[in-house]
Amino acid sequence: MTTAATGWEAVIGVEIHVQLATRTKMFCGCELRFGDPPNTHTCPVCLAHPGVLPVVNREAVRLAIITGLALGCEIAPRSQFHRKNYFYPDLSKAYQISQYDEPICIGGRVEVLTPEGSFEVGITRAHLEEDAAKLVHVGGGGRRAGAEASGVDFNRGGTPLLEIVTEPDLRTPAQAGAFLRQLRATLRRLGVSDCNMEEGSMRADANVSVRPAGSAGLGTKTELKNMNSFRFLERGMEAEIARQIGIIEAGGRVTQETLHYDPELNEIHSLRSKEEAHDYRYFPEPDLVPVVPDRAWVEELRAGLPALPAVTRRRWTDDLGLTFEDAEVLSEPAELAAYFEAVVATGADPKAAANWIRGELRAQLRELGQEPWESAVTPARMAELLALLGDRTLSVPLAKEVLAEVVRTGAPPARVVEEKGLGQISDEGELVALVERLLADNPAQAEQLRGGKDKVVGFFVGQAMKATGGRADPARVGELVREKVAAG
Ligand code: ADP
Ligand code: ZN
Ligand code: MG
């Protein structure tokens, strides 16, 4: 819909707010706790009593710097806090301390991996600021309209936020979604934020415009506000692109405004137009000195960056032969990535390891509420199981049975096989006798086979598995059936 097929192309830039995973607030020592009773984490600073002074949270600065480094940004030698002035009941000071024309991170670039290949997104900037408090509406179903009363919970007021702004480099909602998902994985790997969208610790606004496909200029943009799920954001962008194309094709003009997308109704509503936009009267925050991070510290942080998900994923798809989806699923969280790498490090086939960890292992553990890295199935046990599959000691169904026992007891797979007599029948004579008996016992099917109906091999394999409790090697049984029939 947004491709050359319609003659139009979309242009998208996103702005992402993430709550930084610090212990305390941006400018005071109040603890950050989601879900505590209202107004239990407040002090004169975050309540804006007169005469108090803010102090910058060093950990928030560190998290902003490592994010900037991971996104390929330059860390500004000097950045400045500004006051962004506006009135709202959730803003105790009637201004928000933010950064304006001297943000802490500037000019980055990110390579985004997708199943169809990769693309690049420019990062305009990332800046530090504080969050507003939270309005709580009583009655009226918790919404502002129709509420009997509204209160302010200042626990959230002063939470450190990092706002990341991209260049208008994204061309489809799917690209925007892929970028945001990779960004979330990156931020989680860095320990910068839990990026929990339901709790609002990651919020994304999408700026959208359309232009004739292939042209270079920029059309008038609208801004889709505060979507709290990537899926809804993508659907909202699709709806907004279609709306804009409809306006232009009908001879109209898109007006610059801020919009809300209602995922239930698949409808777009205007929140405010450009004319209603605030003039924030930014001015430098006189109570805070500029942030001038020590260069040696920045270099130390750069050297200490963990392996980022995109880098890990690329290595796994290029060197280990995993699919993009395998790599995406296994690279998050970091513990799972480490688990997979530990299994492969013992010599296991990477693709088999990926399939078994993603599939059967996680399925079996889910019922127990366990994660692979905290389960009895250590990477060494998992690798041993894969080796037993690889050398055909175990068939897939038997391996699942053995795995269940390892999950339960933590016993080495080879011992489980021995104690339970679960190994595949490797004695060729035993298998030959079995196949001969089955052919004799099922003359009608044997006749069909001789008549050239090769599909009937599956019937005999099934019978053999049944007769042995799954311990026959199905591939070998199939071969033997064909040999016997061919031999007459
Ligand atoms: P504003 O002044 O409205 O805040 P900015 O130039 O600061 O606009 O850009 C805000 C966001 O909007 C950025 O992510 C940017 O990439 C994106 N953006 C800017 N112009 C366009 C456009 N014409 N179409 C789509 N996105 C745009
Ligand atoms: Zn406080
Ligand atoms: Mg702007």
Side-chain angles (χ1 to χ4, degrees):
M1 191 215 307
T2 64
T3 61
T6 62
W8 299 99
E9 146 179 286
V11 173
I12 301 168
V14 290
E15 296 167 284
I16 306 100
H17 284 92
V18 285
Q19 265 181 29
L20 298 177
T22 53
R23 194 176 57 77
T24 55
K25 293 187 181 181
M26 187 68 221
F27 300 112
C28 64
C30 290
E31 259 191 278
L32 287 170
R33 297 270 206 86
F34 182 84
D36 276 5
N39 297 310
T40 49
H41 301 291
T42 62
C43 75
V45 173
C46 55
L47 291 174
H49 289 195
V52 296
L53 287 173
V55 177
V56 172
N57 183 331
R58 178 186 162 95
E59 176 65 0
V61 173
R62 186 185 74 84
L63 296 177
I65 291 174
I66 60 173
T67 303
L69 292 172
L71 300 181
C73 293
E74 184 198 332
I75 305 307
R78 176 189 191 279
S79 73
Q80 172 77 52
F81 284 99
H82 272 70
R83 289 187 181 179
K84 179 178 178 178
N85 298 279
Y86 66 98
F87 171 77
Y88 205 67
D90 64 8
L91 192 68
S92 52
K93 301 188 291 294
Y95 60 84
Q96 176 195 30
I97 303 179
S98 181
Q99 294 190 309
Y100 183 51
D101 52 359
E102 292 179 83
I104 184 158
C105 308
I106 30 190
R109 184 147 283 279
V110 172
E111 187 185 15
V112 182
L113 308 185
T114 77
E116 294 82 35
S118 63
F119 62 91
E120 289 207 334
V121 183
I123 305 295
T124 314
R125 56 186 280 160
H127 70 252
L128 281 163
E129 60 186 28
E130 58 177 340
D131 205 353
K134 191 175 163 210
L135 292 185
V136 183
H137 305 291
V138 183
R143 292 172 164 270
R144 188 180 56 179
E148 289 155 27
S150 296
V152 188
D153 175 7
F154 283 97
N155 285 354
R156 198 184 68 183
T159 299
L161 298 180
L162 187 69
E163 179 175 343
I164 301 163
V165 182
T166 78
E167 292 290 299
D169 290 346
L170 301 154
R171 291 292 169 268
T172 61
Q175 276 195 348
F179 166 72
L180 290 168
R181 285 185 185 90
Q182 183 177 307
L183 177 67
R184 179 173 60 183
T186 304
L187 296 170
R188 282 180 173 161
R189 175 62 52 88
L190 292 170
V192 158
S193 173
D194 63 15
C195 296
N196 184 332
M197 297 193 74
E198 286 86 63
E199 293 180 3
S201 56
M202 183 175 192
R203 293 169 255 164
D205 305 337
N207 298 270
V208 178
S209 66
V210 298
R211 66 184 177 191
S215 69
L218 288 177
T220 303
K221 74 173 164 79
T222 58
E223 184 173 359
L224 277 172
K225 262 296 181 212
N226 250 348
M227 304 296 297
N228 62 0
S229 103
F230 294 149
R231 202 163 48 86
F232 289 163
L233 187 67
E234 281 182 53
R235 274 169 45 192
M237 285 184 269
E238 293 287 1
E240 176 54 12
I241 291 163
R243 190 188 70 89
Q244 289 187 13
I245 292 173
I247 290 174
I248 298 171
E249 288 191 337
R253 296 177 81 123
V254 174
T255 43
Q256 186 169 340
E257 58 188 336
T258 305
L259 304 169
H260 170 74
Y261 171 69
D262 182 335
E264 269 164 47
L265 301 174
N266 193 31
E267 274 175 10
I268 289 180
H269 307 281
S270 178
L271 288 177
R272 60 174 179 268
S273 73
K274 180 92 194 285
E275 286 69 45
E276 299 164 57
H278 297 284
D279 175 0
Y280 293 116
R281 295 175 188 280
Y282 280 97
F283 67 87
E285 167 60 69
D287 290 339
L288 288 170
V289 292
V291 179
V292 182
D294 184 54
R295 292 331 275 178
W297 184 43
V298 172
E299 290 317 310
E300 194 182 301
L301 293 176
R302 191 195 304 276
L305 287 179
L308 299 177
V311 176
T312 305
R313 289 173 188 175
R314 159 126 300 161
R315 184 162 50 78
W316 289 354
T317 53
D318 290 3
D319 301 351
L320 301 184
L322 300 199
T323 65
F324 174 82
E325 210 201 336
D326 286 335
E328 190 175 44
V329 170
L330 292 171
S331 62
E332 230 194 321
E335 293 92 334
L336 186 60
Y339 182 89
F340 170 73
E341 296 233 293
V343 173
V344 173
T346 62
D349 173 60
K351 184 61 190 160
N355 290 345
W356 275 79
I357 295 169
R358 279 189 63 184
E360 189 63 21
L361 178 64
R362 289 207 309 175
Q364 289 198 18
L365 293 177
R366 196 170 301 131
E367 290 169 18
L368 304 170
Q370 285 180 9
E371 298 290 356
W373 59 90
E374 60 188 24
S375 76
V377 190
T378 60
R381 300 264 187 275
M382 191 67 220
E384 192 184 327
L385 184 76
L386 291 168
L388 292 170
L389 260 165
D391 72 8
R392 286 188 164 188
T393 305
L394 291 175
S395 62
V396 169
L398 287 177
K400 290 182 179 176
E401 226 178 298
V402 172
L403 180 60
E405 194 60 19
V406 181
V407 164
R408 207 173 61 78
T409 64
R415 205 170 76 209
V416 175
V417 169
E418 209 181 284
E419 284 175 2
K420 302 210 142 198
L422 283 175
Q424 287 197 122
I425 298 165
S426 50
D427 178 5
E428 183 80 359
E430 205 177 318
L431 282 183
V432 171
L434 173 67
V435 167
E436 281 174 348
R437 182 165 57 76
L438 290 173
L439 285 168
D441 288 354
N442 300 278
Q445 283 83 355
E447 202 42 50
Q448 286 181 328
L449 252 186
R450 285 187 195 96
K453 211 169 165 201
D454 195 61
K455 269 198 339 213
V456 184
V457 171
F459 165 80
F460 285 103
V461 172
Q463 293 295 311
M465 297 308 278
K466 206 157 132 194
T468 58
R471 292 174 50 242
D473 174 351
R476 188 65 195 132
V477 169
E479 283 165 18
L480 287 172
V481 169
R482 288 195 181 89
E483 276 170 28
K484 290 286 151 199
V485 167

